[in-house]
């Protein structure tokens, strides 16, 4: 079994890397709670049809990136490439379309067969927020404000900019579709093969293409703002007003369309220039049609997903765990038993404490230094007999004798 490696595009999160991930998710979870969101955990795999039609037949995710396989029973299964479809499936499966609004937070691994590079993996991690039920632009503003507050709490707001756009309502979109077809048809030969295909099936998707030849054409493509219906324009105005009120800074970018098919009205991305080509750290929008498309009633909704791996890379530092107390018995079984009592009393009091299992005083002190202990509690034969311990402050080097019953109070 030599040379066992993680599968291409996957990686182990150990030490500081995992602490960064955990800090991103813990912070987001805490702030999502302030907005009244509750955490859901949906399965990591679903029936393929949960994703295949809903994300859009022409999306990169569905055409190229899904991990799809037949299970032993012959059912087509897909490892989730994102979690909004799973949350909507869960909403329907659990009969929650009658109990709206549902305010949902989630975090967990997602899977996409992509070319691995910095900030792009085949197993990656997303966390997300969904407000399911509200049709008002207030909900869009609140969910964006939640994203912004999380980025602020993580200290990465200085590195990120909110880019905002509207995709309009159904009739704005069909007018826009016509305008795009007219424009791109005139440049058909210059489009990438994928985008020529998109031209018939979903011209909006061309705006999201990463092919350089497409990107050049996209620069001069018509923008949706010129064909918005009055209702769609009013929705967008409402959203911008609420964002101003909530003091969430944004930059309008008419090229933001989002990669998945189910968005309408609001589309947004928080982007950074600190991560090269993998610049989007959080993206989302309104998806009023998705629940109905999955066989539920018509339920408006808005949400976002953030790339935990990318946010973890943006963090300045990972919060280090509290320095432990090292408990050091010197002698035999009786000292060790007394040390175990101290160890447990410290932990019961919420104090991080560790004990090395073997070695003499010198070796155990070395170990205490290696784990960056802030203090050592040393219990030898004479201490044991008198119900005391030597307490050594490892920052100052000061040592004093302390009654065992006083230890917790001294170290709290
Ligand atoms: P990109 O344009 O970078 O491919 P996307 O539009 O496919 O992103 P979404 O489906 O909107 O991404 O997912 C939301 C967020 O999840 C992204 O903004 C990004 O931060 C993160 N993300 C998406 N795919 C990956 C991946 N393969 N590895 C790491 N993070 C990812
Ligand atoms: Mg992608």
């Amino acid at each position: 079994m030599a040379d066992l490696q993680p599968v291409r595009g996957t990686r182990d999160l150990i030490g500081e890397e995992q602490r960064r991930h955990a800090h991103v998710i813990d912070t987001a979870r805490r702030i999502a709670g302030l907005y009244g969101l509750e955490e859901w955990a949906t399965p990591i795999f679903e029936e393929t049809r949960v994703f295949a039609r809903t994300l859009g037949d022409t999306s990169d995710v569905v055409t190229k990136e899904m991990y799809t396989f037949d299970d032993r029973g012959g059912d087509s299964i897909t490892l989730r490439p994102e979690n909004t479809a799973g949350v909507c499936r869960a909403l329907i499966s659990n009969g929650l379309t009658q109990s709206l609004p549902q305010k949902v937070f989630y975090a967990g691994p997602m899977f996409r067969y992509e070319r691995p590079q910095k900030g792009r993996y085949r197993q990656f991690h997303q966390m997300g927020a969904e407000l399911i039920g509200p049709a008002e632009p207030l909900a869009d503003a609140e969910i964006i404000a939640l994203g912004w507050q999380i980025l602020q709490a993580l200290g990465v707001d200085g590195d990120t900019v909110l880019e905002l756009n509207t995709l309009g309502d159904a009739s704005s979109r069909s007018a826009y579709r016509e305008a795009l077809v007219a424009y791109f048809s005139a440049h058909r030969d210059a489009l990438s093969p994928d985008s020529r295909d998109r031209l018939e099936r979903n011209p909006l998707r061309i705006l999201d293409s990463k092919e350089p030849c497409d990107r050049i054409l996209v620069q001069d493509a018509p923008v949706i703002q010129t064909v918005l219906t009055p209702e769609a324009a009013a929705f967008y105005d409402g959203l911008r007003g609420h964002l101003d009120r909530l003091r969430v800074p944004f930059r309008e970018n008419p090229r933001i369309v989002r990669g998945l098919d189910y968005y309408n009205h609001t589309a947004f991305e928080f982007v950074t220039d600190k991560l090269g080509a993998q610049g989007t750290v959080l993206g989302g929008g309104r998806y009023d049609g998705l629940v109905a498309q999955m066989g539920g009633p018509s339920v408006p909704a808005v949400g976002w997903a953030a790339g935990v791996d990318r946010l973890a890379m943006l963090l300045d530092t990972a919060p280090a765990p509290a320095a432990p107390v090292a408990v050091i018995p010197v002698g035999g079984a009786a000292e060790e038993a007394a040390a175990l009592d101290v160890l447990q009393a410290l932990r019961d009091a919420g104090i991080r404490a560790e004990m090395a299992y073997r070695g003499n005083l010198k070796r155990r002190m070395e170990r205490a230094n290696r784990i960056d202990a802030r203090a050592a509690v040393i219990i030898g034969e004479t201490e044991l007999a008198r119900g005391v311990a030597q307490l050594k402050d490892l920052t100052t080097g000061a040592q004093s004798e302390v009654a065992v019953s006083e230890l917790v109070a001294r170290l709290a």
Side-chain angles (χ1 to χ4, degrees), residues 60-61 65 112 114 120 210:
D60 280 354
V61 171
E65 298 173 1
R112 297 184 190 178
E114 301 205 64
R120 191 177 294 286
K210 293 186 174 74

Side-chain angles (χ1 to χ4, degrees), residues 112 114 119-121 124 126 210 258 280-281 305 307 310:
R112 297 184 190 178
E114 301 205 64
R120 191 177 294 286
Y121 311 99
F124 62 103
Q126 281 185 345
K210 293 186 174 74
R258 308 289 306 132
T280 307
V281 294
R310 295 183 191 176

Side-chain angles (χ1 to χ4, degrees), residues 9 11 60-61 65 81-82 106 110-127 208 210 258-260 262-263 268-270 275 277-284 304-311:
R11 65 215 171 103
D60 280 354
V61 171
E65 298 173 1
E82 56 95 65
Y106 65 79
M110 309 291 158
F111 306 85
R112 297 184 190 178
Y113 193 81
E114 301 205 64
R115 194 169 68 75
Q117 47 199 298
K118 188 176 167 233
R120 191 177 294 286
Y121 311 99
R122 291 183 174 176
Q123 174 172 334
F124 62 103
H125 302 80
Q126 281 185 345
M127 54 189 192
D208 205 29
K210 293 186 174 74
R258 308 289 306 132
L260 306 177
Y262 48 58
Y263 291 105
F268 60 91
E269 290 184 350
F270 285 89
L275 298 176
Q278 277 56 254
T280 307
V281 294
L282 185 156
W304 52 252
V308 175
D309 311 80
R310 295 183 191 176
L311 288 171

